[in-house]
Amino acid sequence: MSDALQPAANPVNATGTAQPRQGSRPMNLASISRTRHRPQTRWLVPAALILLSMVPIIAGSLRLTELTGGHITADNARFFDSPVPVLIHIPTVTVYLVLGAFQFVPPLRRGKAGRASWHKIAGRILVPTGLLAALSGLWMAVFYDLPPLDGPLLLVLRLVFGSAMVAFIVLGFIAVRRRNYVRHSEWMSRAYAVGIAQGTIVVVTIPWIALVGPVTELSRALLIGASWVLSLAVAEYFIHRRAQPMAAQALMPPLKGA
């Protein structure tokens, strides 16, 4: 254990018994968490997530505009042939990404006595919308004709990560029903990471196009797969980071007189 995590030494009286330092306060999870979430930075994460969300939201809005306009092209004919899945997918993805970004704001997780927190209320919306977004995406991946540059490899990746998103949401729901809030947070963070990867694609693809050139069927699949992997890696980093204060608290001996 590092010296920074060691409790401050208490004064010792004449009998050799450790006495609590006057005015001292025990270091607990709440005090550690407060040092990690300063008021001026707690909104940076949701702001960044919403910024990434704008990519799939704008693309989805343009797709809905095409459908309402009725102008059929070779690129969008599959949506006109079966519009219901895409009409479910785009609104649910929009709600899931925007509303889900605010679930990472610590103050919104705490509710007043006798009242559900904003986090809990939003969660009741996010679970069904997340499942609908993932399942409708899987349906489109399986039953829509593959567009240009979408080959079998990208189809497999969409099935793998789409199924993973469904599994993560279900596992998160099961965890919260069992009141295992730590596991609930972890699984839901992973599910959101899969969803937000549609925005991460731009971050990965633009440098590739600038340095290498236009994408091919293979490079497109690899870049989109890398976007999912990158999003999940970032989620795992923050999951591990959140777990450290809890582990540190578990290792601390209880302070006498606290």
Side-chain angles (χ1 to χ4, degrees):
M1 189 188 309
S2 66
D3 294 337
L5 296 179
Q6 291 284 1
N10 292 329
V12 180
N13 61 14
T15 63
T17 303
Q19 299 294 322
R21 185 182 298 275
Q22 187 174 5
S24 65
R25 291 166 53 185
M27 182 180 294
N28 53 28
L29 181 59
S31 62
I32 295 175
S33 297
R34 281 194 294 269
T35 64
R36 291 181 174 269
H37 301 289
R38 299 184 184 278
Q40 62 269 30
T41 61
R42 64 179 52 153
W43 294 99
L44 291 179
V45 171
L49 293 175
I50 291 174
L51 183 62
L52 281 177
S53 301
M54 289 298 102
V55 176
I57 290 173
I58 293 173
S61 299
L62 294 175
R63 185 66 69 189
L64 290 179
T65 302
E66 288 181 353
L67 288 174
T68 56
H71 181 62
I72 303 177
T73 65
D75 182 57
N76 63 19
R78 62 190 186 280
F79 301 119
F80 282 92
D81 293 339
S82 181
V84 174
V86 72
L87 291 176
I88 294 174
H89 184 73
I90 293 173
T92 53
V93 165
T94 301
V95 172
Y96 182 76
L97 294 181
V98 174
L99 190 61
F102 293 97
Q103 295 294 75
F104 298 93
V105 181
L108 297 181
R109 300 178 189 176
R110 298 186 289 271
K112 296 181 180 179
R115 296 174 59 185
S117 66
W118 188 95
H119 181 89
K120 185 175 182 180
I121 295 171
R124 294 170 179 169
I125 301 173
L126 288 169
V127 168
T129 54
L131 288 174
L132 284 172
L135 292 172
S136 59
L138 287 170
W139 196 99
M140 291 188 293
V142 172
F143 295 104
Y144 279 176
D145 293 334
L146 290 178
L149 296 181
D150 281 18
L153 176 59
L154 183 54
L155 173 61
V156 171
L157 290 174
R158 283 179 170 151
L159 294 178
V160 169
F161 286 100
S163 300
M165 182 175 172
V166 173
F168 294 158
I169 293 175
V170 171
L171 289 170
F173 178 77
I174 293 173
V176 77
R177 295 294 295 177
R178 294 175 176 174
R179 299 186 180 277
N180 190 337
Y181 301 114
V182 174
R183 291 290 175 265
H184 165 74
S185 176
E186 293 174 356
W187 288 121
M188 290 304 185
S189 296
R190 294 180 181 114
Y192 189 85
V194 175
I196 200 68
Q198 296 302 310
T200 313
I201 290 173
V202 176
V203 179
V204 174
T205 304
I206 289 179
W208 176 275
I209 294 176
L211 296 174
V212 180
V215 296
T216 63
E217 180 180 306
L218 177 60
S219 62
R220 173 175 161 80
L222 294 177
L223 288 170
I224 293 177
S227 302
W228 275 310
V229 173
L230 176 61
S231 292
L232 283 170
V234 172
E236 291 297 333
Y237 167 77
F238 283 103
I239 288 171
H240 176 71
R241 187 178 178 185
R242 286 198 303 264
Q244 287 179 337
M246 300 178 188
Q249 186 189 34
L251 292 173
M252 288 179 185
L255 297 179
K256 294 183 179 180

